[in-house]
Amino acid sequence: MRETGWVLGPLGIDAEHRVTRPGCRTILVMVPTVTAGHRLMDLIPLLESDARLQVVFSVPHAAERWADPEDFVRGHHGLLVPWEQAIQHRFDLVLSASHRELDRVRGRVLLLPHGAGSRMSRMHSRKAGGATVPTTGLDRELLTYRGRVLPDVIALTHDDELAVLRERCPEAVGAAVVTGDICLDRMLACRGLRHRYRELLGVDEKRKLVTVSSTWTAESTFGRWPDLYQRLLAELPADRYRVAAVLHPNIWATHGRWQVRAWLADCLRAGLLLIPPEEGWQATVIASDWIIGDHGSTTVYAAALGRPVSLAAFPDGNIQPGSLADRLAGIAPRIDHKGPLLPQFGHATVVSRSLLAAVSSRPGRAAAALRSQMYRLLELSEPTRAAGLPPLPGPQPFRPTGGAG
């Protein structure tokens, strides 16, 4: 539901009579989708413990919007400011992992990708029906408005993306900074918590965890092979395997939480570990022994992390040549859906070294680089402590109930 009325918070007229901490720099976190929200939740811990800063959140909307970003913000206890109010205020810093509505915000903007890399894996945008020109996340139409480059900092994950930006939007090269991938770095830093994450999922030392990852749309794992979850639960011995499902947040947003759980109700009762869209997917990937996925970022991150990977679905003919998904497809085996699944575990490919280098050219350095850029835009000195990130939260899968709700 769209917000009505303005929030009596730290913004606007008479705010000085309401605040307890005066004089703070204000930071707007734009959350148009849960996917973008996930990425920004990796970023904003770098601003914690600084009494000079006030962070607020807003959900941009125009003619269309996703159903659940406001619930996502509230679930993280962020101060949610109505969009109509946010666009009337000038912020000291705006953080975004999406191109949506950047032309309407006021303040210095730091833009980072919401998935693995800025190039995008699909050759054509889902929104550009009948498109004949391949698109990327670094195109002029996304980064500029009426001749003005919208982001003040474009955080790139890899040096190779600079060449794409020079071709697609050369006027924005001056705003580009290669920072590395903060999502990947956070997962790499939490590999030592693998045993803890497995405990939370109920996976003991005698069992292997098989995770089925799906992006959204009909070309995805869940779109093409909805029976894969049931097959795995039926074919893999329960005393030796557990099965988990990680679904893209847009699947939940498009169809509704009740419906997704209803589709998988029999699987939940049979022991499927269904990971909620709010959080837990990164920890589940770390805990896994085999990832069965598609062209989505989760599968790419799993491969970069060193997890054995197989592809259940892949949209051949609509993938950018040289993209991360294209590189993964050249290495990872395809699932034979007509054959038994268990023997294919041994064929899964570990491709961490090549995919890790392709995802990020600054592994382990994204937190420091991104914090430096944020404080530069804020015109504040950085904290003296090292730029560290909190551990990833443990997974809390849905529990089966009498119904799907």
Side-chain angles (χ1 to χ4, degrees), residues 67-91:
D68 53 357
E70 290 176 2
D71 291 338
F72 177 84
V73 173
R74 291 192 183 97
H76 285 83
H77 307 288
L79 177 59
L80 184 62
V81 175
W83 180 239
E84 291 83 358
Q85 182 178 359
I87 59 177
Q88 298 299 320
H89 185 81
R90 179 170 294 279
F91 294 90

Side-chain angles (χ1 to χ4, degrees), residues 291-312:
I291 301 288
I292 302 175
D294 50 28
H295 57 291
S297 292
T298 300
T299 318
V300 171
Y301 282 128
L305 207 67
R307 301 296 91 205
V309 169
S310 301
L311 293 175

Side-chain angles (χ1 to χ4, degrees), residues 153-299:
V153 171
I154 303 169
L156 304 178
T157 59
H158 203 283
D159 293 322
D160 290 349
E161 293 174 344
L162 279 171
V164 178
L165 186 61
R166 287 192 187 97
E167 176 186 349
R168 297 284 183 160
C169 188
E171 62 269 40
V173 170
V177 180
V178 181
T179 62
D181 189 307
I182 195 167
C183 175
L184 176 65
D185 285 359
R186 200 173 178 195
M187 295 175 76
L188 290 170
C190 289
R191 287 178 296 181
L193 297 175
R194 173 177 159 85
H195 181 70
R196 173 60 178 158
Y197 294 149
R198 290 171 66 85
E199 282 184 341
L200 291 171
L201 290 166
V203 181
D204 57 34
E205 296 179 357
K206 299 178 181 178
R207 288 180 171 89
K208 301 290 187 182
L209 177 61
V210 179
T211 296
V212 183
S213 164
S214 179
T215 189
W216 60 305
T217 76
E219 298 172 318
S220 68
T221 302
F222 191 49
R224 294 196 60 191
W225 304 104
D227 64 336
L228 180 58
Y229 310 88
Q230 189 69 59
R231 284 193 59 197
L232 285 165
L233 290 164
E235 293 185 27
L236 302 184
D239 61 338
R240 292 165 49 202
Y241 292 90
R242 295 297 304 272
V243 180
V246 171
L247 304 179
H248 194 285
N250 285 353
I251 297 176
W252 299 88
T254 300
H255 297 286
R257 184 174 300 228
W258 183 91
Q259 184 61 75
V260 173
R261 294 184 67 180
W263 281 331
L264 294 171
D266 287 344
C267 295
L268 284 167
R269 288 188 280 269
L272 178 69
L273 301 168
L274 179 59
I275 307 303
E278 293 82 12
E279 63 184 20
W281 72 268
Q282 294 154 299
T284 303
V285 167
I286 292 169
S288 299
D289 297 288
W290 182 22
I291 301 288
I292 302 175
D294 50 28
H295 57 291
S297 292
T298 300
T299 318

Side-chain angles (χ1 to χ4, degrees), residues 23-203:
C24 288
R25 298 285 208 276
T26 57
I27 300 168
L28 174 66
V29 181
M30 297 175 63
V31 187
T33 66
V34 171
T35 310
H38 274 302
R39 185 51 46 90
L40 295 171
M41 289 301 170
D42 285 332
L43 178 66
I44 60 174
L46 297 170
L47 303 172
E48 289 179 351
S49 301
D50 193 331
R52 301 171 295 174
L53 307 179
Q54 166 71 61
V55 177
V56 302
F57 299 76
S58 192
V59 175
H61 55 75
E64 59 181 26
R65 65 187 301 212
W66 293 102
D68 53 357
E70 290 176 2
D71 291 338
F72 177 84
V73 173
R74 291 192 183 97
H76 285 83
H77 307 288
L79 177 59
L80 184 62
V81 175
W83 180 239
E84 291 83 358
Q85 182 178 359
I87 59 177
Q88 298 299 320
H89 185 81
R90 179 170 294 279
F91 294 90
D92 297 293
L93 176 63
V94 178
L95 302 177
S96 181
S98 168
H99 301 94
R100 295 183 182 214
E101 304 293 306
L102 288 182
D103 60 302
R104 301 191 68 192
V105 293
R106 305 179 187 188
R108 295 178 174 179
V109 175
L110 186 150
L111 174 69
L112 65 164
H114 61 256
S118 297
R119 291 186 58 186
M120 300 169 54
S121 292
R122 291 171 60 93
M123 188 175 297
H124 301 295
S125 170
R126 296 181 179 93
K127 297 181 180 180
T132 58
V133 178
T135 187
T136 76
L138 299 172
D139 292 352
R140 178 178 285 114
E141 65 187 78
L142 300 175
L143 298 176
T144 67
Y145 179 72
R146 294 184 175 178
R148 175 173 66 93
V149 176
L150 295 170
D152 294 88
V153 171
I154 303 169
L156 304 178
T157 59
H158 203 283
D159 293 322
D160 290 349
E161 293 174 344
L162 279 171
V164 178
L165 186 61
R166 287 192 187 97
E167 176 186 349
R168 297 284 183 160
C169 188
E171 62 269 40
V173 170
V177 180
V178 181
T179 62
D181 189 307
I182 195 167
C183 175
L184 176 65
D185 285 359
R186 200 173 178 195
M187 295 175 76
L188 290 170
C190 289
R191 287 178 296 181
L193 297 175
R194 173 177 159 85
H195 181 70
R196 173 60 178 158
Y197 294 149
R198 290 171 66 85
E199 282 184 341
L200 291 171
L201 290 166
V203 181

Side-chain angles (χ1 to χ4, degrees), residues 2-17:
R2 180 170 297 183
E3 292 281 350
T4 59
W6 285 24
V7 169
L8 288 176
L11 308 178
I13 297 175
D14 294 331
E16 69 272 15
H17 301 302

